[in-house]
Every structure is written in C-alpha cells, then in structure tokens.
Amino acid sequence: MQILVALACAAVLAALPAAAGDGRPKGVVELFTSQGCSSCPPADAALGKLVEQGDVVALSYHVDYWNYLGWKDTLSSAESTERQYDYARTLGRKSVYTPQAVLNGRDHMNGADLSGINRTLDTLDDNGKGLTVPVTAVREGDRLNIHIGDGRGKADIIIVYFDEQNTVDVGRGENRGRKITYWHSVRDAQTVGMWDGKAMELVLPMTVMDHERYGGCAILVQKMKSATVPGPIIGASIVTDSPS
C-alpha cells in the first residue's frame, strides 16, 4: 500500500511549482473542519486564502463527529478525526473543536483567524519553531528525487493526499442551502519512511498518475511523541497539478 501511495505522489510531484526565497514554506496549517459546522465556512474561506498566498502548506481535514447533526460531510473520515484527537494529546487538551487550525504541529487557534495564523507562523519561525529542514523534489528523466536536508533528531516522512478543490451543496444540517468551496481536503495519508537527522534522498519512479483521484500531495517531515501521537512538523513541501 505504501509503495502505491509513493508512486502516485511521485507523479503529482512532477508538477512541482517554483517557490519564493529559499523554497521553504513558512509553515504548515492543518484545519479541522466539517460541512455540518455553522462556524466553519469562514475558516474554510481563510484556508483558501492561505492556499492563494502560496507560502504555506495548507491542508483541510474533515472530521466526522458532526455528521449526526443532519448532514454527513461528504469529505469526512474517521482518520481525520483520529488525527485531531491525536493532536489534542500533543497540545494537552481534553477536547477538540471546529474550526481548529493546528500550526506546525505546535500550536492551535480558531481557523477563521487568518491574520492570527500568519502572525503565529511568523513568530514560530522567528523562535526556531518553523520549518527548519528543507524539503525539495527534482525530476530527473523517469524518476523523482525528493531531498530532505540536515537537521536534528528523527522524524517520520508522511505523504498526505488531497483534493485541490471541492464545491459542495449542503442539503441539510446547520449549513443547509449553502454552497461551500473547500481547498486541499485530505483524502489519504501514509508514512513512507524515516529521517534520522542526516540529509537523505528518496528516489521514486515517475509512473502514471490517476489525476481524477488526487489533485495534489504534501510531504511532511514530522517528529513523533509516540507511535500514535504527532509532534512538531519541521519540514514540508506541497505540490498540485495546477500551473504555478
């Protein structure tokens, strides 16, 4: 299963867009949201603005615990809910909420607070808690080289697949009658390797990509507090099929 995921991601990465500066995003924003949450549409719109900024790895995880409110989120999954609860343990919280934005796996806030998100990402970066490990991908003929730079400690290498954009007509529940656009909604995630603090290359073949299945993917280099509890994200890159 991991091999299939890695092969698909390699094809998506062929569309790697150029990034500003040293090519390092200033942070990772993971939004936990739901189509059945009346407070979430402003946060979904804020995530869209982060995607437009182009300097943030922005991902949207649709949780399933609000599905009982009369509308089953068409993008929701138990895995997204599980990741949010895992973060609750990381952040020392007893409960979860929507819309919650988790920043670099280190902090959280209301996902609708766009200025606060950008400000906190800048502060984390200034304090050495940003994306300190460079992650790049370069196509060479029929293969793709993913390069992860030097750093400290150990971390998992996670590939996160997402739909680039979905527009949903919500038929019931708290958002009944609304047409809402969602960006970078996560559909799958797999751990495909481990980084031990030393620069490394992950070589993947460029195979046929099922473009109708995923619109892009992100590579996250994330430290783990335990086998199931995520820690800080120290490196990341994002790739979509859209022209840069």
Side-chain angles (χ1 to χ4, degrees):
M1 177 64 176
Q2 291 182 354
I3 294 175
L4 292 176
V5 172
L7 294 179
C9 187
V12 180
L13 285 165
L16 183 68
D22 63 0
R24 222 177 281 183
K26 73 175 184 177
V28 175
V29 176
E30 296 175 273
L31 173 67
F32 293 91
T33 186
S34 172
Q35 294 169 13
C37 160
S38 61
S39 301
C40 287
D44 301 318
L47 192 85
K49 292 179 181 178
L50 287 171
V51 171
E52 290 178 1
Q53 281 182 204
D55 60 353
V56 173
V57 174
L59 300 169
S60 178
Y61 293 81
H62 290 247
V63 299
D64 62 359
Y65 52 78
W66 293 130
N67 286 353
Y68 78 92
L69 293 177
W71 175 256
K72 182 177 180 180
D73 189 314
T74 60
L75 302 169
S76 66
S77 70
E79 290 76 15
S80 291
T81 299
E82 182 179 6
R83 184 163 177 83
Q84 188 180 25
Y85 273 95
D86 288 341
Y87 269 133
R89 293 198 291 274
T90 298
L91 299 168
R93 293 183 54 84
K94 295 182 179 180
S95 61
V96 296
Y97 66 94
T98 54
Q100 180 187 37
V102 176
L103 315 181
N104 294 353
R106 297 177 182 269
D107 202 352
H108 72 100
M109 64 178 53
N110 188 306
D113 187 359
L114 180 60
S115 60
I117 289 171
N118 276 307
R119 186 168 56 251
T120 301
L121 288 176
D122 289 336
T123 299
L124 288 172
D125 191 48
D126 290 342
N127 292 333
K129 296 180 179 180
L131 304 184
T132 57
V133 177
V135 180
T136 59
V138 178
R139 180 176 182 175
E140 295 181 354
D142 62 353
R143 69 180 189 177
L144 182 93
N145 291 339
I146 298 174
H147 177 79
I148 301 175
D150 289 314
R152 298 179 61 182
K154 296 181 179 180
D156 286 357
I157 303 169
I158 304 169
I159 305 296
V160 181
Y161 286 86
F162 56 83
D163 292 340
E164 190 171 0
Q165 180 181 352
N166 289 288
T167 299
V168 178
D169 289 306
V170 181
R172 295 185 300 278
E174 292 187 352
N175 289 315
R176 179 181 179 179
R178 301 187 66 170
K179 179 179 287 189
I180 305 172
T181 297
Y182 300 96
W183 295 88
H184 291 190
S185 297
V186 171
R187 307 311 295 270
D188 194 12
Q190 295 287 335
T191 299
V192 296
M194 175 168 274
W195 172 82
D196 64 1
K198 299 177 182 178
M200 64 174 289
E201 299 253 352
L202 180 63
V203 180
L204 303 174
M206 298 297 298
T207 56
V208 176
M209 172 64 185
D210 182 358
H211 293 282
E212 295 182 358
R213 186 176 182 190
Y214 301 117
C217 66
I219 304 167
L220 305 181
V221 180
Q222 184 164 31
K223 292 185 175 182
M224 301 296 291
K225 293 191 172 184
S226 72
T228 59
V229 180
I233 296 173
I234 57 175
S237 182
I238 194 165
V239 186
T240 70
D241 273 342
S242 293
S244 58

